[in-house]
Amino acid sequence: MYSDRMSTSDRLIESTRELLWERGYGGTSPKAILEHAGAGQGSMYHHFRGKPGLALAAIRRTAEEMRATTEDVLGRPGSPYERVEAYLRRERDVLRGCPVGRLTMDADVIASDELRAPVDEFLTWLRGRLASVVEEGREQGQFAPGADAEEIASVIVATVQGGYVLARASGSPAAFDTAVRGLLTLLAPGDRQLRGGRR
C-alpha cells in the first residue's frame, strides 16, 4: 500500500489520516492504525505520544495539504470571480466529505483543544484567503460595492461544507453541484446573473 521508501512515522500518519476520515477519532484504534500502516507493535509510541499525538500530526498534515491545494487554485491567474469559481468547482471526492470539515462533527476532536486547533486554524485561514480574493474582486467591480468580503467568504465555506452534507445524505454529488451553481449565480457579476450564471 505504501512505498518501501516511506518512513514508519509517515506510514503511521498517512494511515491515521485515512482512518480518521473514514471512521473518526473514536473509531480509529491504535491496532487498526498499526495494521493499516504495516507497522510493528510499539512503533506508534516510539514516534508519537500515542494515539492523541499521532492524530494531531495527521490532522495537521491534512490541513497543510488542503491549504496547499486551495492556494494552488486561488493563487492562479484569472479574475477574482474566476478563481472563486475554480475553487468551488475543483475536483473533490464529494461523497466522502471534507477531511477537515468532517472533523468538526467528531465529538472527540472538538472536545480536545489540541486536536481542534489545526481544524480551526485551517478554516480561519480559508475564510481569510477567500475574503482577500473577494475584496480584490469588489475593488474591481466584480462583486457588489457594498459586499462584505469576510461575510461572503463565510458563505462560500458554508456552501461547500453544506454541499458535502447534502451530497452524502442523498448519496449523489448532484446536490453539491446544485449548491455550487446556486452560489455562483448569486456571486456572478451583473451580466452573468441575467444569464443565470452561465458563461
Side-chain angles (χ1 to χ4, degrees), residues 98 100-101 104 117-128 157 161:
C98 173
V100 170
T104 65
V119 176
D120 182 40
E121 287 164 10
F122 169 73
L123 292 172
T124 298
W125 172 84
L126 177 59
R127 291 194 307 273
V157 174
Q161 294 302 323

Side-chain angles (χ1 to χ4, degrees), residues 24-47:
Y25 186 87
T28 300
S29 68
K31 181 180 179 183
I33 293 170
L34 292 171
E35 288 178 354
H36 195 276
Q41 198 79 16
S43 58
M44 178 186 298
Y45 298 93
H46 174 72
H47 295 283

Side-chain angles (χ1 to χ4, degrees), residues 41-89:
Q41 198 79 16
S43 58
M44 178 186 298
Y45 298 93
H46 174 72
H47 295 283
F48 304 95
R49 293 181 293 106
K51 179 181 167 181
L54 180 50
L56 179 61
I59 294 169
R60 281 179 174 160
R61 182 172 294 182
T62 295
E64 288 165 5
E65 185 179 278
M66 289 192 65
R67 181 170 176 159
T69 299
T70 302
E71 184 57 44
D72 183 56
V73 174
L74 294 178
R76 67 179 54 166
S79 72
Y81 178 87
E82 289 169 342
R83 283 147 55 205
V84 168
E85 180 180 28
Y87 167 74
L88 287 167
R89 294 189 186 276

Side-chain angles (χ1 to χ4, degrees), residues 1-195:
M1 180 178 213
Y2 297 113
S3 166
D4 291 338
R5 288 176 288 187
M6 187 181 286
S7 69
T8 299
S9 61
D10 275 338
R11 291 204 314 272
L12 289 167
I13 291 172
E14 290 302 313
S15 294
T16 304
R17 289 177 64 195
E18 283 291 317
L19 293 171
L20 284 175
W21 196 0
E22 292 172 5
R23 308 178 186 181
Y25 186 87
T28 300
S29 68
K31 181 180 179 183
I33 293 170
L34 292 171
E35 288 178 354
H36 195 276
Q41 198 79 16
S43 58
M44 178 186 298
Y45 298 93
H46 174 72
H47 295 283
F48 304 95
R49 293 181 293 106
K51 179 181 167 181
L54 180 50
L56 179 61
I59 294 169
R60 281 179 174 160
R61 182 172 294 182
T62 295
E64 288 165 5
E65 185 179 278
M66 289 192 65
R67 181 170 176 159
T69 299
T70 302
E71 184 57 44
D72 183 56
V73 174
L74 294 178
R76 67 179 54 166
S79 72
Y81 178 87
E82 289 169 342
R83 283 147 55 205
V84 168
E85 180 180 28
Y87 167 74
L88 287 167
R89 294 189 186 276
R90 76 171 179 81
E91 188 174 342
R92 293 173 167 89
D93 192 349
V94 174
L95 294 181
R96 288 190 74 190
C98 173
V100 170
R102 286 187 68 179
L103 292 171
T104 65
M105 294 180 277
D106 190 314
D108 293 304
V109 171
I110 296 306
S112 165
D113 289 342
E114 188 175 41
L115 294 179
R116 181 169 43 83
V119 176
D120 182 40
E121 287 164 10
F122 169 73
L123 292 172
T124 298
W125 172 84
L126 177 59
R127 291 194 307 273
R129 186 66 182 91
L130 283 165
S132 69
V133 176
V134 171
E135 179 61 22
E136 183 184 339
R138 192 187 65 77
E139 291 172 357
Q140 294 176 13
Q142 290 197 336
F143 300 113
D148 184 297
E150 291 183 6
E151 290 178 358
I152 291 177
S154 291
V155 170
I156 293 170
V157 174
T159 298
V160 170
Q161 294 302 323
Y164 281 123
V165 171
L166 294 174
R168 285 170 60 79
S170 66
S172 169
F176 183 96
D177 296 338
T178 298
V180 165
R181 286 196 305 273
L183 179 58
L184 286 171
T185 298
L186 293 173
L187 293 178
D191 61 328
R192 288 182 183 167
Q193 280 190 342
L194 293 174
R195 300 196 303 272

